[in-house]
Amino acid sequence: DIVMTQSPDSLAVSLGERATIKCRSSQNILYRSNYKNYLSWHQQRPGQPPRLLIKWASARESGVPDRFSGSGSGTDFTLTISSVQAEDVAVYYCQQYYSGPITFGQGTRLEIK
Amino acid sequence: EVQLVESGGDLVQPGGSLRLSCAVSGFTFSSLWMHWVRQAPGKGLEWVADIKQDRSEIHYVDSVKGRFTVSRDNAKNSLYLQMNSLRVEDTAVYYCVSGPGWDFDNWGQGTLVTVS
């Protein structure tokens, strides 16, 4: 199974500051035939179901604010929130869908400082 | 916009059975690869099972193999999860999730299964 490891487990950021969340996969999740990284980022606000933010490592979903961006390739990935807003308080999960079973990172909790 | 509505969650004793349903609207259900993902209280996300559009591929996480069965009815726009031999560790909110493949697009609100 591919193990997804996120860092940090939690972080506190001031409003308007940048937040960076890392995700590392135990195996390469870049499919070379189409040059796509099989990685998504999901946001789960308190008391809510998860919501897809980004797929294919960097493709932001429709309706997701452009302060959210994804980057990385192979085994190392990053979710960046360029200017944190109050509504960004949530747990963020990375997820690989390169090979079964589909696996998630343990989650990173974002709080406002 | 795709809407996914789960139902069937309940309190059940260890060893019991439960059937979850997920009603899908707003999109052509038969074009969606469907998944079940669960979240134990206070814990992270765990993928449970998936079923391809035409049922030709079905996969399970090891911990539920032989106990859970995923199915779908494309005529009724519905996804199901039959859960047998339930264990305390199956207690979780179960989410129905859709996508064109293994890449998720939409999540339901979830339904709570408590095994106690």
Side-chain angles (χ1 to χ4, degrees), chain A residues 42 44 48-52 55-56 61 93 95 97 99-102 104, chain B residues 35 37 39 43-47 50 95 100 102-105 107-109:
Chain A
H42 303 271
Q44 187 173 31
Q48 295 295 313
R51 163 201 181 195
L52 174 68
K55 61 164 67 175
W56 306 118
E61 278 299 283
Y93 295 93
Q95 173 221 348
Y97 43 97
S99 70
I102 292 168
F104 293 88
Chain B
H35 305 259
V37 174
Q39 186 170 36
K43 303 296 185 182
L45 301 170
E46 180 184 37
W47 170 84
D50 68 59
Y95 295 103
W102 280 9
D103 49 318
F104 295 177
D105 279 341
W107 295 73
Q109 289 293 315

Side-chain angles (χ1 to χ4, degrees), chain B residues 5-11 17-22 81 83 111-113:
Chain B
V5 179
E6 303 91 337
S7 60
D10 204 346
L11 170 63
S17 297
L18 211 53
R19 189 195 197 206
L20 306 184
S21 300
C22 173
L81 186 67
M83 304 186 294
T111 187
L112 177 62
V113 173

Side-chain angles (χ1 to χ4, degrees), chain B residues 11-34:
Chain B
L11 170 63
V12 62
Q13 292 184 342
S17 297
L18 211 53
R19 189 195 197 206
L20 306 184
S21 300
C22 173
V24 179
S25 61
F27 207 81
T28 304
F29 179 71
S30 59
S31 71
L32 298 171
W33 198 309
M34 299 300 298

Side-chain angles (χ1 to χ4, degrees), chain A residues 5-111:
Chain A
T5 304
Q6 293 180 226
S7 61
D9 289 335
S10 64
L11 75 162
V13 176
S14 300
L15 288 172
E17 295 299 305
R18 176 185 299 262
T20 301
I21 299 171
K22 302 283 190 182
C23 175
R24 174 167 288 177
S25 56
S26 61
Q27 302 173 31
N28 171 65
I29 56 174
L30 169 64
Y31 194 39
R32 297 206 178 273
S33 67
N34 60 11
Y35 214 74
K36 283 187 172 183
N37 288 282
Y38 282 55
L39 181 112
S40 287
W41 288 97
H42 303 271
Q43 175 195 60
Q44 187 173 31
R45 290 171 171 152
Q48 295 295 313
R51 163 201 181 195
L52 174 68
L53 293 177
I54 289 168
K55 61 164 67 175
W56 306 118
S58 61
R60 193 168 47 242
E61 278 299 283
S62 173
V64 174
D66 60 8
R67 63 180 179 273
F68 290 90
S69 63
S71 62
S73 185
T75 61
D76 291 284
F77 303 90
T78 301
L79 174 69
T80 301
I81 310 172
S82 60
S83 176
V84 169
Q85 303 301 303
E87 61 264 32
D88 300 336
V89 168
V91 179
Y92 294 85
Y93 295 93
C94 61
Q95 173 221 348
Q96 70 81 20
Y97 43 97
Y98 180 86
S99 70
I102 292 168
T103 49
F104 293 88
Q106 79 276 19
T108 295
R109 185 176 302 275
L110 174 65
E111 300 173 336

Side-chain angles (χ1 to χ4, degrees), chain B:
Chain B
E1 181 183 345
V2 181
Q3 286 198 316
L4 306 114
V5 179
E6 303 91 337
S7 60
D10 204 346
L11 170 63
V12 62
Q13 292 184 342
S17 297
L18 211 53
R19 189 195 197 206
L20 306 184
S21 300
C22 173
V24 179
S25 61
F27 207 81
T28 304
F29 179 71
S30 59
S31 71
L32 298 171
W33 198 309
M34 299 300 298
H35 305 259
W36 289 100
V37 174
R38 67 184 178 184
Q39 186 170 36
K43 303 296 185 182
L45 301 170
E46 180 184 37
W47 170 84
V48 174
D50 68 59
I51 182 167
K52 195 177 178 180
Q53 288 86 339
D54 61 359
R55 307 183 199 82
S56 61
E57 289 187 41
I58 291 175
H59 308 97
Y60 300 96
V61 70
D62 283 349
S63 60
V64 309
K65 283 180 183 175
R67 301 188 299 122
F68 289 12
T69 302
V70 62
S71 61
R72 64 189 295 159
D73 186 334
N74 288 346
K76 293 183 177 180
N77 296 336
S78 293
L79 173 73
Y80 306 100
L81 186 67
Q82 178 66 44
M83 304 186 294
N84 299 330
S85 302
L86 282 161
R87 304 168 179 168
V88 170
E89 55 265 33
D90 295 319
T91 294
V93 173
Y94 284 73
Y95 295 103
C96 168
V97 189
S98 68
W102 280 9
D103 49 318
F104 295 177
D105 279 341
N106 293 283
W107 295 73
Q109 289 293 315
T111 187
L112 177 62
V113 173
T114 303
V115 185
S116 178

